[in-house]
Amino acid sequence: MKLISLQDVSVSYEGVPALEHVSLDLFSDDFTGIIGPNGGGKTTLVKAILGMVPYSGTIAFAKGIGVDDGTIGYLPQQNHFDRQFPISVAEVIYSGLQSRKRLRFRISHSERRKAEELMELTGIRPLADKPIGGISGGEMQRALLCRALIADPQLLILDEPANFVDNKFEKELYDILASLNDRMAIVMVSHDVGTITSYVKSIVCVNRTAHRHDTNDITPELLTNYNCPIQLISHGEVPHTVLKRH
């Protein structure tokens, strides 16, 4: 089922184009990796979908999907929580139950249990009552992942989710996402092409324009054809980087 359809979407910042004439469909069974060079528009594409930046063109959502009703979970590239703010890890996670349409003042027993399950899944259950000022960046990233998931979204969007996490949890993170894909679509921005191609089903290369490729088999020729000037890194038995002739 088609969840989101972008038609001729463009975004500019102070007259400088960031995205130009992007047409793209996202589906209910997607596990899609968004790749591209720094400054190519990957985060802008995500923000346009989420209604966080003005755009021209159209972005249409399937019935029952919206950016302000909890049906789309979002893990941003950077978090802007004030570490001095007196809020616990659990309270950060519960904040994912809020929406632009409706404020929540009570947390049900089932929602508390769901938060505990998510914290257990991500390894931060012992930190539930700890203030956010006393946890690491990686632990905060795990809490924000729980926040993005607590409302059981139909689509989970992650922007560089491996930022700040250690190597051990990075592997666990991708395994968690693979299991979540059984019940939700996942769109993930990443610079680590070699790693995400072991997990995703499709690739969208973004460099002002966007090109969807419905396989995770990414070759240097494909990146060249899609105007995606990044290095191709392979994580086989001997990790290596594939470079152009020079």
Side-chain angles (χ1 to χ4, degrees):
M1 182 181 79
K2 189 183 297 184
L3 291 181
I4 302 176
S5 181
L6 290 78
Q7 295 294 326
D8 198 29
V9 170
S10 297
V11 178
S12 296
Y13 297 115
E14 297 182 349
V16 178
L19 290 177
E20 295 183 297
H21 309 295
V22 170
S23 294
L24 176 68
D25 293 329
L26 298 174
F27 299 89
S28 57
D29 61 346
D30 271 349
F31 191 161
T32 297
I34 297 179
I35 65 172
N38 289 338
K42 302 186 297 296
T43 295
T44 296
L45 174 62
V46 165
K47 288 184 174 181
I49 292 172
L50 293 169
M52 299 171 66
V53 295
Y55 60 86
S56 62
T58 60
I59 301 180
F61 297 84
K63 185 178 180 180
I65 296 288
V67 298
D68 54 5
D69 59 5
T71 54
I72 300 178
Y74 175 48
L75 178 63
Q77 184 174 6
Q78 297 176 328
N79 72 76
H80 300 287
F81 273 92
D82 180 358
R83 292 303 188 95
Q84 303 304 312
F85 192 74
I87 187 173
S88 69
V89 169
E91 288 169 327
V92 167
I93 295 169
Y94 295 142
S95 70
L97 295 168
Q98 307 286 353
S99 73
R100 300 180 204 177
K101 292 181 177 179
R102 184 166 57 111
L103 292 178
R104 296 283 300 277
F105 299 101
R106 292 185 178 181
I107 307 300
S108 69
H109 175 72
S110 62
E111 289 166 342
R112 291 183 187 278
R113 186 171 59 186
K114 176 66 180 298
E116 290 174 358
E117 290 173 354
L118 289 171
M119 286 187 284
E120 193 70 38
L121 180 68
T122 56
I124 58 171
R125 181 66 184 86
L127 304 178
D129 298 321
K130 196 164 185 177
I132 60 173
I135 64 176
S136 69
E139 289 165 343
M140 188 66 183
Q141 195 77 337
R142 300 184 197 200
L144 293 174
L145 175 61
C146 294
R147 183 184 69 163
L149 292 170
I150 193 168
D152 283 324
Q154 295 185 52
L155 170 64
L156 176 62
I157 298 178
L158 310 104
D159 193 353
E160 300 285 4
N163 281 357
F164 311 113
V165 302
D166 56 69
N167 291 336
K168 178 179 180 298
F169 183 67
E170 181 177 0
K171 171 64 166 60
E172 294 175 2
L173 169 65
Y174 291 130
D175 288 340
I176 289 170
L177 295 178
S179 66
L180 290 171
N181 188 224
D182 289 338
R183 62 178 190 270
M184 67 183 67
I186 296 175
V187 173
M188 177 171 58
V189 175
S190 180
H191 65 276
D192 190 351
V193 181
T195 297
I196 68 167
T197 51
S198 300
Y199 295 90
V200 300
K201 300 173 183 175
S202 58
I203 291 287
V204 174
C205 184
V206 178
N207 188 16
R208 281 202 184 175
T209 59
H211 302 274
R212 178 174 175 128
H213 188 62
D214 287 318
T215 178
N216 61 358
D217 183 16
I218 303 301
T219 65
E221 292 76 19
L222 175 70
L223 297 178
T224 299
N225 291 340
Y226 282 178
N227 191 28
C228 194
I230 61 176
Q231 295 178 356
L232 180 64
I233 304 171
S234 175
H235 290 255
E237 294 183 4
V238 181
H240 60 284
T241 301
V242 180
L243 300 172
K244 292 182 179 179
R245 294 182 182 274
H246 63 283

